[in-house]
Amino acid sequence: MTHHEPHDEVTGDRMNWLRAGVLGANDGIVSTASLVVGVAGATTDRSQILVAGLAGLFAGAMSMASGEYVSVSSQRDAERALLAQERRELRDTPEQELEELKKIYEDKGLDEQTAEEVARQLTEHDALAAHADAELHIDPDELTNPWGAAIASFVAFTIGALLPLAAIALTPTGLRVPVTVAAAVLTLALTGFISARLSGAGKRRAVVRNIAGGLIAMGVTYAIGSLVGQSIG
């Protein structure tokens, strides 16, 4: 019997996207919950809280998307530059590149004869792909996608931000802050659990760390909002 397992690179890529989505949602929860709780500390006006929350949601989502696009675009440019350099080296010094590939496989544990044969066969099949994988750890056909990263970050942040925004908008005045904090804590526990599961880290520590960070952020902004509201009032 054979076991059909997903290719490691594909699985790793999907895991990275999922991890990025969890972190984006986590940012949306913390930043939006902190913002609306802070504004609620300063005023009980529902419209002001909603305006601030919506502005924070879209500002945060756009900031996340823009940051991801710029970051991943820079990474993609670097990957293209490295591949262009590798193409030039393969064109100008093919024998040296073959020897370099052979040495890489020797360093990985193959004997000289086997390493030479592996390097030769891979070069004959696709020299650029062989060198990109062994030297640069890049797949020329699967470069990072800045638009995908930007859209994923925007969507993840927005989804994360909607829960605390809905909680504070739909809850009676006296219960707004505790309900919003409780909703944020529950969601942060979930994102902490998922991120720990993806990375293989301890789940309890990740959940506690996630919740503690969110509570500190919300506590500080609520205290600042209360002080500002009292001074203005």
Side-chain angles (χ1 to χ4, degrees):
M1 294 180 64
T2 59
H3 296 279
H4 299 287
E5 297 181 354
H7 193 277
D8 289 343
E9 291 183 359
V10 174
T11 301
D13 184 60
R14 289 178 180 175
M15 291 283 279
N16 286 334
W17 280 110
L18 185 55
R19 187 177 295 111
V22 171
L23 292 175
N26 194 74
D27 286 343
I29 296 164
V30 174
S31 61
T32 306
S34 299
L35 176 61
V36 294
V37 165
V39 176
T43 179
T44 58
D45 189 318
R46 189 186 303 271
S47 62
Q48 291 186 30
I49 296 172
L50 284 178
V51 168
L54 287 171
L57 185 157
F58 285 105
M62 292 301 296
S63 176
M64 287 283 293
S66 175
E68 281 294 322
Y69 180 82
V70 170
S71 175
V72 176
S73 292
S74 298
Q75 180 183 344
R76 187 182 181 94
D77 291 342
E79 290 172 345
R80 285 174 169 170
L82 289 170
L83 289 172
Q85 179 181 348
E86 199 62 44
R87 287 190 185 94
R88 289 193 298 270
E89 292 174 351
L90 287 168
R91 181 193 63 208
D92 299 337
T93 56
E95 294 302 322
Q96 292 180 18
E97 289 299 298
L98 180 61
E99 184 64 25
E100 184 179 21
L101 191 60
K102 170 191 165 186
K103 184 65 168 58
I104 289 173
Y105 287 110
E106 285 182 337
D107 292 341
K108 289 184 176 181
L110 298 182
D111 61 67
E112 182 179 358
Q113 183 177 357
T114 303
E116 183 174 2
E117 180 63 19
V118 169
R120 184 187 62 79
Q121 290 192 27
L122 289 175
T123 299
E124 289 176 355
H125 175 68
D126 190 333
L128 179 62
H131 283 266
D133 176 61
E135 294 182 49
L136 309 175
H137 307 293
I138 296 174
D139 184 346
D141 297 323
E142 295 291 337
L143 298 183
T144 51
N145 183 354
W147 282 109
I151 292 170
S153 294
F154 183 93
V155 171
F157 186 97
T158 301
I159 291 173
L162 283 174
L163 181 63
L165 188 59
I168 207 158
L170 300 175
T171 307
T173 303
L175 297 175
R176 283 176 186 168
V177 172
V179 168
T180 302
V181 170
V185 165
L186 289 174
T187 317
L188 288 171
L190 178 61
T191 56
F193 177 84
I194 294 173
S195 63
R197 181 103 181 246
L198 292 174
S199 63
K203 297 179 180 64
R204 179 179 298 178
R205 178 178 296 181
V207 169
V208 171
R209 183 172 56 225
N210 228 28
I211 292 174
L215 286 173
I216 291 170
M218 288 183 284
V220 170
T221 53
Y222 181 77
I224 293 172
S226 298
L227 290 173
V228 170
Q230 290 174 9
S231 63
I232 294 175

